[in-house]
Amino acid sequence: MHNEKLQDVGEFGLIRRIQRQVGGGDHLVLGIGDDCSIQRQDNSWELLTSTDLLIEGVHFNRQWISMEELGRKSAAVNISDIAAMGGRPKSLFLGVACPGDIPVDELESFSRGFVAETNAYDAVLAGGDTCRSLGPLMISVTVQGEVESGRAIRRDGAEVGDAIYVSGTLGDSALALQQLLAGKQPNRYLLARHNTPTARVALGRRLVQEQLASSMLDVSDGILSDLGHILEASGVGAEIELARLPLSDEFRAALQQDGSLLDLALAGGEDYELLLTSPLKNLSEKTLSSVDLTRIGTICSQPGLQVKNQDGSLYRCSRGGFDHFG
Ligand code: ADP
Ligand code: MG
């Protein structure tokens, strides 16, 4: 169809079309479609690469985040894609397109935050590009990392009967954004969850080293959408139990005022937690004690994703996951 608009096919429809134009390469173990590409090397490690854009007005608003925090967040969300494969980050590359009137000290604050965050994960800023933008501030980050050959935790390994786990808590970042959009000031905890997320690198590394996960990704668009990617890649379905979703005290407090906020934990986005499947049913209690993982559901053979209320009835989420063009 010639007159089809981007809104009609959505972000993921466009990516599928690009994917169809691309052939494989001998050096590529995995190309488009996962959190990172995987490239063979002449040693026992594979090279992981991922790239992300952050655009002012789309991904951030300078009123609500300091430039230093924006630098930290730009590094962390990219490193999160390395964590999502179970890898360790090594080098980051930073492209910045700046409006000419931004004060230099703000850009220095940005790079200070970016470098500090990068170094906190034992990675380094290794290059980039800088140019003028006639519109918004635009940030492009590429990260390279590595993982033991054959051990990367991909999206296509979930099997029927696997348990589904998620790290940390869900919905905090989306709740903070919703409050900011409504002109309210989120409390410190919620704002930090939105402005300075943490990449779960150490957890990803443990899962690889102990070979505990069958599939994994990081939650950037909400678990409904992101679990959907695992289901599609693995050719399976899933059931999630609403009552098991891990929620922070701050999120629960807001939920008491407005029950509809629960959908932010399912489809809010920007959690940057790890969502994984494992054949083991009790990862958190025994195998990975001290790790912050909650079991939220099970992989099943029936296609699709069902969210169940405590009484077994079906829950309908009123939001779709985040799609840039949806
Ligand atoms: P993530 O949320 O983990 O960053 P995305 O949903 O942005 O992943 O992208 C899904 C997959 O599509 C990734 O493998 C990514 O590299 C690939 N991708 C996205 N946009 C493009 C593009 N314009 N060209 C090629 N590959 C793309
Ligand atoms: Mg990802």
Side-chain angles (χ1 to χ4, degrees):
M1 214 167 63
H2 254 339
N3 290 329
E4 226 175 356
K5 300 276 195 305
L6 194 44
Q7 293 99 287
D8 302 329
V9 300
E11 177 186 351
F12 300 106
L14 177 65
I15 294 172
R16 268 194 295 277
R17 283 167 197 229
I18 297 173
Q19 202 169 11
R20 282 202 292 268
Q21 297 172 332
V22 178
D26 284 349
H27 64 294
L28 268 190
V29 178
L30 184 66
I32 295 173
D34 215 303
D35 294 293
C36 294
S37 69
I38 307 178
Q39 208 171 304
R40 245 181 286 284
Q41 300 188 118
D42 287 337
N43 59 25
S44 57
W45 294 76
E46 286 165 341
L47 176 68
L48 303 172
T49 310
S50 178
T51 193
D52 266 320
L53 280 172
L54 289 100
I55 312 289
E56 181 175 14
V58 177
H59 297 94
F60 63 89
N61 184 326
R62 276 192 274 157
Q63 271 183 301
W64 298 331
I65 186 167
S66 73
M67 288 296 276
E68 179 156 3
E69 289 168 332
L70 183 61
R72 288 177 61 188
K73 182 170 182 174
S74 303
V77 302
N78 217 239
I79 290 172
S80 177
D81 277 319
I82 298 287
M85 309 294 287
R88 57 182 191 201
K90 301 286 280 187
S91 302
L92 280 84
F93 300 85
L94 171 62
V96 193
C98 309
D101 60 357
I102 289 197
V104 181
D105 63 351
E106 293 211 9
L107 293 170
E108 274 183 319
S109 295
F110 174 84
S111 51
R112 191 181 313 116
F114 189 94
V115 167
E117 189 74 8
T118 297
N119 294 348
Y121 297 96
D122 292 327
V124 288
L125 174 57
D129 195 23
T130 305
C131 67
R132 172 189 288 272
S133 164
L134 299 180
L137 174 62
M138 294 185 272
I139 298 153
S140 159
V141 185
T142 299
V143 63
Q144 291 182 323
E146 56 185 14
V147 67
E148 294 85 345
S149 291
R151 294 279 191 85
I153 308 171
R154 303 158 48 143
R155 297 177 176 187
D156 59 7
E159 304 223 18
V160 174
D162 283 357
I164 304 168
Y165 295 90
V166 69
S167 66
T169 57
L170 296 171
D172 297 327
S173 173
L175 177 57
L177 177 61
Q178 178 158 311
Q179 292 175 345
L180 289 168
L181 288 168
K184 290 187 230 152
Q185 181 62 28
N187 74 26
R188 264 159 99 79
Y189 167 82
L190 292 172
L191 196 60
R193 290 279 287 157
H194 185 62
N195 283 345
T196 51
T198 304
R200 304 292 181 197
V201 174
L203 173 58
R205 292 299 298 146
R206 271 187 81 179
L207 292 164
V208 158
Q209 282 158 354
E210 299 179 34
Q211 300 193 59
L212 298 173
S214 51
S215 72
M216 183 158 72
L217 45 60
D218 65 327
V219 185
S220 49
D221 300 334
I223 56 164
L224 290 191
S225 166
D226 286 320
L227 181 55
H229 296 317
I230 286 185
L231 303 184
E232 194 184 329
S234 303
V236 291
E239 215 179 275
I240 293 222
E241 293 171 59
L242 201 58
R244 286 180 176 261
L245 294 185
L247 306 175
S248 66
D249 293 343
E250 289 80 358
F251 191 93
R252 282 183 197 281
L255 198 57
Q256 292 221 311
Q257 307 297 311
D258 177 0
S260 74
L261 293 177
L262 191 54
D263 289 350
L264 294 176
L266 289 166
E270 293 209 273
D271 296 300
Y272 298 106
E273 295 297 345
L274 294 182
L275 178 69
L276 57 121
T277 60
S278 172
L280 301 175
K281 306 288 182 280
N282 55 359
L283 269 188
S284 12
E285 293 101 62
K286 296 218 176 76
T287 331
L288 275 182
S289 56
S290 84
V291 167
D292 192 12
L293 279 180
T294 305
R295 185 176 169 190
I296 59 168
T298 311
I299 295 292
C300 52
S301 55
Q302 189 192 343
L305 172 50
Q306 299 201 319
V307 182
K308 291 267 170 79
N309 290 307
Q310 221 154 5
D311 64 6
S313 61
L314 221 53
Y315 178 81
R316 282 191 64 85
C317 181
S318 62
R319 298 165 64 101
F322 186 78
D323 183 313
H324 273 280
F325 308 103

